[in-house]
Amino acid sequence: AAIAWRQQKQVRDALDSALFGLSANLKVKLEAVQALGRLATPPFAALGSEEALHRILREVSGDDAKIVREAAEEALWRSWTKCGDEDIDEQFNAAGALLEREDVRGAVDALS
């Protein structure tokens, strides 16, 4: 219970820094997004971390909004492509690389 509470506090703090931080410092906002990305990644994804990244995509504003939004999108994609099992993650990444080269048959074979 203590770990879950701590993770949820980290999620809230990072979300606040990315969206409402008193600092207009882009570096602080990007570090907060990266922290949420780590918190959203299996095998120990923190409750609310993925939703926080979605919220950033919807609500971020200001001069650096585009950069922060892109970082949140990248963090979501990274979290979605990890399951926590190194072998499966490696297999998935290899299939993704094959798809980028438009080798659909190779990608299917890599996942089979």
Side-chain angles (χ1 to χ4, degrees):
I3 292 173
W5 177 86
R6 183 171 179 248
Q7 285 181 323
Q8 288 178 340
K9 182 176 179 344
Q10 289 173 327
V11 168
R12 284 190 309 272
D13 291 347
L15 179 60
D16 286 348
S17 292
L19 287 180
F20 313 115
L22 297 176
S23 170
N25 187 330
L26 178 60
K27 182 179 177 191
V28 170
K29 292 177 181 182
L30 293 177
E31 287 172 354
V33 169
Q34 290 171 355
L36 284 168
R38 287 188 300 276
L39 287 164
T41 302
F44 303 110
L47 186 65
S49 54
E50 184 176 331
E51 177 55 35
L53 288 165
H54 284 281
R55 188 169 169 197
I56 291 167
L57 288 174
R58 290 189 310 268
E59 297 179 18
V60 69
S61 62
D63 295 338
D64 298 321
K66 183 177 188 286
I67 296 167
V68 175
R69 194 174 290 114
E70 288 172 354
E73 181 180 353
E74 289 173 16
L76 279 167
W77 278 109
R78 277 193 307 274
S79 73
W80 291 338
T81 59
K82 302 284 184 219
C83 76
D85 180 304
E86 289 183 23
D87 293 334
I88 293 173
D89 288 344
E90 186 176 309
Q91 186 179 15
F92 186 82
N93 290 335
L98 290 166
L99 283 175
E100 286 179 13
R101 293 193 310 259
E102 299 182 13
D103 183 356
V104 175
R105 180 171 299 289
V108 169
D109 290 344
L111 294 171
S112 301

